[in-house]
Amino acid sequence: MGPYLDAGPLNPSPSEAHGILCGLICGGDAHALESWLGQVAPTPDAGETLVAEGRAALRECGLAIEREFQGPEPLVRLPSSGDSAPLGERALRLYDWIRGFLYALGLVSLSESDLSEQGREILRDLTAITRMDLDDLEETEDNEQALAEVIEFVRVAAMLIHHERTIARSPTNSGPATSAGQETNPE
């Protein structure tokens, strides 16, 4: 996927590209895959063959990601804490994913006012995570545990935003999105 992403307008890392598509889906873009391809697929100046191959390969990858959201329990997959790559590399992949996710939320013009208080707090927390200093991240058990917890938080946070935006797009919804698990009182 790397050479195709390198020839695209954004030149994202694979993790960032994945985050962009997840952000478009979670943010409510009705044409998320096509929007994503417009952001990451090779541009015409890359050559006809690379454009055709790149769009086809990226479309296949994007369709697989979209399918994860279409099951009875939508799922966001993130860089795994069980991965054997060095801690700093895995933290950087998560950082890239979050940057891509937040970028995509901006593309769909999602603002804090479109979310519940919990959703707004999540956006602030995700933004704060992108300010972490990853340069001197030591390979310690505590840092491994912390990364695993951040990965789980980000996964759940993305799913909450997806859930809220799914409710907002529902034709039966006429009010603001509610938090997951929050009940509304019809009185």
Side-chain angles (χ1 to χ4, degrees):
M1 194 160 78
Y4 303 130
L5 295 173
D6 290 344
L10 293 180
N11 189 18
S13 70
S15 292
E16 193 171 15
H18 187 275
I20 292 169
L21 180 53
C22 289
L24 290 169
I25 294 168
C26 291
D29 187 329
H31 306 286
L33 183 59
E34 290 307 314
S35 297
W36 180 68
L37 288 170
Q39 295 290 317
V40 303
T43 58
D45 61 328
E48 192 174 313
T49 302
L50 187 62
V51 169
E53 289 174 2
R55 284 190 72 82
L58 290 168
R59 179 178 300 284
E60 185 176 318
C61 178
L63 287 170
I65 294 167
E66 278 189 331
R67 280 192 294 275
E68 292 177 348
F69 284 89
Q70 295 168 349
E73 293 185 31
L75 179 65
V76 172
R77 295 191 192 276
L78 296 172
S80 172
S81 60
D83 192 336
S84 63
L87 180 70
E89 186 178 313
R90 287 180 281 133
L92 181 59
R93 286 196 312 244
L94 179 64
Y95 168 85
D96 283 351
W97 190 95
I98 295 168
R99 282 187 40 201
F101 186 80
L102 291 172
Y103 171 78
L105 294 182
L107 287 176
V108 297
S109 301
L110 181 75
S111 69
E112 286 192 6
S113 64
D114 296 323
L115 297 169
S116 68
E117 180 56 41
Q118 184 179 20
R120 291 189 291 273
E121 185 176 330
I122 283 170
L123 283 183
R124 290 187 292 269
D125 289 345
L126 291 174
T127 301
I129 291 170
T130 64
R131 294 186 193 117
M132 291 187 313
D133 181 12
L134 302 177
D135 291 334
D136 297 320
L137 194 59
E138 295 179 30
E139 297 267 349
T140 66
E141 187 61 37
D142 286 345
N143 284 344
E144 285 285 346
Q145 181 63 35
L147 180 60
E149 290 173 9
V150 172
I151 287 171
E152 183 60 15
F153 167 78
V154 171
R155 188 188 69 73
V156 170
M159 291 313 305
L160 178 94
I161 291 172
H162 178 260
H163 177 75
E164 285 191 17
R165 299 306 298 152
T166 300
I167 290 171
R169 291 186 312 269
S170 170
T172 60
N173 182 45
S174 59
T178 58
S179 299
Q182 181 181 3
E183 294 184 18
T184 55
N185 187 348
E187 294 177 18

